[in-house]
Amino acid sequence: MPPSEPERPRTYVVTGITGAVGRVVAHELTQRGHQVRGISRHAGVPIEDPAALAAAFHGAAAAFLMIPFDRTAANLHQRETDIASKLAHAVLTAGTRRIVLLSGTSAHLGPRAGSGMGAAIAEQLLDRLDIPERVYLRACFFMENHLGFGFLDQATTGTYATMFRPDRPTPMIAARDVGQIAAQLLTEHPVTQPRVRELLGAADYTMTDATHILGTAIGMPNLRYAHIPYQQARAAILDQGISPSFTDAVIDTARGFNDGTTWATEERSAQNTTPTTLTDFAHGVLRPTFESAHR
């Protein structure tokens, strides 16, 4: 076979470029010699600025889209609708031919998607546009969520507590794997992906499993997991300054999980399995973060 031609440098838009997934997407693209235009307040291109969005999308070969969480939003789902609408308008105006949307395995539940509702809204709005090439990456539970749940602070008490039941296995994925796949899909020629692609991480874990794996990585193999009531969890989340609207969306997610709602619609396969295990994440991401905080 003749050698493949090198990728021609192109320009790509990356929404949420300073986030766990977006920064991986941007890194992968720049490593391949492409130009990246980042969308985020920290990058100086806030989603709320239509003119800045239009300039970022103009002439771009493709765009990575996501609906960033707003933990202080008074009305989370209205805020997500506004963001999705602005992104969809930018795609339409620029005539962007390819988009990769970071979605979630609960997106198919629509109004019952809980904290995944923003992704569901974005899918619905983008479905109305004539975009020649699009992929909705429906990722499962992020391993990084454990950091968001306060695992590192809680671990020092001897107990890791959340409102998610301890005994239900669920797929968990590393943001790094999602970002690498998204970058691959943005640059793939021709596009060979289905409209919806689920990503189910390397394996399924219960919260009890996760507590043991994460605890062992930081020298606490006997760390205990506790399943706490919704009201107790709600009070703890609100104490962090998080809005009631965002808090209720997280509780809706936990309630659906605890009640056995099906998120992923596919059986595990080589196509939807990614390489990073929770043990890899625990030693490569969580432990260095813990050690840095406890020097």
Side-chain angles (χ1 to χ4, degrees):
M1 293 179 60
S4 58
E5 295 183 5
E7 287 186 65
R8 178 167 60 87
R10 298 172 183 267
T11 299
Y12 294 91
V13 173
V14 176
T15 310
I17 193 170
T18 56
V21 176
R23 65 172 173 259
V24 175
V25 177
H27 173 76
E28 292 290 321
L29 292 173
T30 54
Q31 286 293 103
R32 300 179 191 190
H34 300 298
Q35 179 182 351
V36 172
R37 298 173 183 166
I39 308 293
S40 78
R41 287 194 186 97
H42 296 299
V45 185
I47 288 176
E48 296 83 359
D49 186 340
L53 275 185
F57 277 81
H58 179 72
F64 171 74
L65 305 181
M66 62 171 295
I67 308 299
F69 284 139
D70 186 340
R71 295 169 179 257
T72 62
N75 185 329
L76 176 64
H77 296 325
Q78 183 57 57
R79 167 72 172 157
E80 291 170 333
T81 299
D82 292 344
I83 291 173
S85 297
K86 287 179 171 62
L87 290 174
H89 180 73
V91 168
L92 177 64
T93 302
T96 308
R97 294 187 54 80
R98 180 183 301 189
I99 63 99
V100 175
L101 171 71
L102 175 59
S103 187
T105 50
S106 65
H108 66 97
L109 298 173
R112 297 184 295 116
S115 56
M117 183 64 181
I121 292 168
E123 286 193 17
Q124 293 166 8
L125 288 176
L126 292 169
D127 276 341
R128 300 173 188 171
L129 305 183
D130 183 20
I131 305 171
E133 301 168 343
R134 75 184 84 182
V135 180
Y136 302 153
L137 276 183
R138 290 184 177 174
C140 61
F141 182 101
F142 276 88
M143 296 174 184
E144 286 78 4
N145 286 341
H146 293 291
L147 294 172
F149 293 165
F151 174 85
L152 294 179
D153 289 334
Q154 291 194 56
T156 60
T157 71
T159 300
Y160 176 38
T162 83
M163 55 190 154
F164 291 83
R165 58 188 268 193
D167 59 339
R168 184 184 179 192
T170 192
M172 298 185 187
I173 196 167
R176 178 181 64 184
D177 290 350
V178 179
Q180 290 174 343
I181 290 171
Q184 173 192 335
L185 298 182
L186 286 168
T187 57
E188 177 183 79
H189 290 285
V191 174
T192 61
Q193 304 296 317
R195 173 70 55 86
V196 173
R197 180 173 172 187
E198 290 191 352
L199 297 178
L200 303 184
D204 294 5
Y205 307 89
T206 66
M207 291 300 282
T208 300
D209 295 334
T211 300
H212 177 69
I213 291 169
L214 300 176
T216 298
I218 59 172
M220 300 180 184
N222 296 320
L223 187 67
R224 173 177 170 267
Y225 180 73
H227 178 209
I228 59 176
Y230 299 122
Q231 283 306 110
Q232 180 181 343
R234 189 175 196 276
I237 296 171
L238 292 173
D239 281 347
Q240 300 173 43
I242 295 173
S243 74
S245 181
F246 186 93
T247 300
D248 290 342
V250 175
I251 290 174
D252 286 344
T253 298
R255 195 184 302 277
F257 175 82
N258 295 340
D259 291 344
T261 300
T262 299
W263 289 349
T265 61
E266 300 175 3
E267 296 295 326
R268 182 172 294 283
S269 67
Q271 174 75 358
N272 59 35
T273 296
T274 54
T276 303
T277 66
L278 189 58
T279 300
D280 296 333
F281 171 83
H283 288 272
V285 176
L286 184 120
R287 185 171 67 184
T289 304
F290 180 80
E291 291 174 346
S292 177
H294 292 84
R295 284 174 180 164

